[in-house]
Amino acid sequence: MKKLLTNKLLFIIILFIGSSVSMHSQSHKTALSITGGYVDGGFGGLATLDYKVNEFDYLQFGLQGNFTKLEVGEIKVPVNLYSFNAGFFFDILRNNKRTFALSLGAGGTVGSEVINSGDERLENGQTLEIEPSQIVFGAYAGLDADIFLIPTVAINIKAQEIYHFNSEIGELTPYFGVGVKLILK
């Protein structure tokens, strides 16, 4: 009887330790990615921090900068957009070896749109008929693909469409970027 009780106690202890280890191995991970690429008529960059809420889904927080040109008559006017993005992504495709993952997500964005460095006067003396500097807000949807080189480093490919409700230069802005993702744990 004592041996049976000892075996049961030993089994419970092993089960408890084993479940603690498995729960720890499923703990949330964080990842940092930096990408650069194309925006409508220019260049953009995006740095994101991913926070896993479970094994397949994650929250993504990003800082984005877009640098484009707007044609006003024959003059190309610089347009800069600096924004903060926050969204939720979930896996739609992943291989068994976990060397590739494709995620789909959406979220909100808020930022600052600066046209002609905030100056209403163009270089030819003409006055802009649009607001040269303002806060913009909206939403975005995107795909996020990871190709893992090693378990902690991946090539990150992003494709997003950003919709700004109150932008002076256009409501839709595409972003296609390629960069690196580091798994921070």
Side-chain angles (χ1 to χ4, degrees):
M1 179 76 169
K2 227 177 190 182
K3 187 174 181 175
L4 182 62
L5 185 60
T6 306
N7 287 342
K8 283 184 179 181
L9 185 59
L10 184 61
F11 175 74
I12 291 171
I13 290 171
I14 290 172
L15 184 64
F16 179 75
I17 291 172
S19 67
S20 297
V21 170
S22 69
M23 284 191 295
H24 181 69
S25 68
Q26 294 176 6
S27 66
H28 301 301
K29 294 182 180 181
T30 57
L32 174 69
S33 72
I34 298 174
T35 60
Y38 172 81
V39 292
D40 198 16
F43 175 82
L46 178 59
T48 61
L49 180 69
D50 299 345
Y51 178 77
K52 285 217 172 236
V53 295
N54 60 39
E55 190 174 351
F56 302 108
D57 306 328
Y58 57 94
L59 297 172
Q60 186 174 87
F61 305 99
L63 294 174
Q64 185 168 7
N66 296 347
F67 310 97
T68 62
K69 301 265 186 202
L70 173 67
E71 287 194 30
V72 178
E74 293 182 19
I75 299 173
K76 291 190 177 188
V77 179
V79 178
N80 301 337
L81 174 70
Y82 307 99
S83 63
F84 172 75
N85 307 333
F88 181 79
F89 282 74
F90 59 94
D91 281 359
I92 56 174
L93 181 64
R94 178 183 294 264
N95 66 355
N96 288 339
K97 294 182 181 182
R98 296 193 177 208
T99 57
F100 175 79
L102 181 65
S103 301
L104 177 66
T109 181
V110 63
S112 175
E113 182 178 75
V114 181
I115 302 169
N116 198 35
S117 301
D119 191 4
E120 290 182 352
R121 302 292 264 171
L122 299 175
E123 60 188 43
N124 66 356
Q126 187 179 0
T127 303
L128 276 174
E129 295 179 13
I130 55 179
E131 188 65 38
S133 181
Q134 70 174 355
I135 302 296
V136 292
F137 56 91
Y140 75 95
L143 288 171
D144 204 355
D146 296 319
I147 302 167
F148 284 88
L149 304 173
I150 59 174
T152 57
V153 177
I155 295 172
N156 185 235
I157 303 166
K158 293 188 183 301
Q160 294 182 345
E161 186 70 42
I162 305 163
Y163 180 77
H164 290 114
F165 299 108
N166 61 331
S167 173
E168 291 286 349
I169 63 166
E171 296 172 339
L172 291 172
T173 306
Y175 173 76
F176 302 102
V178 176
V180 65
K181 181 181 273 190
L182 303 172
I183 306 303
L184 304 176
K185 287 195 178 191

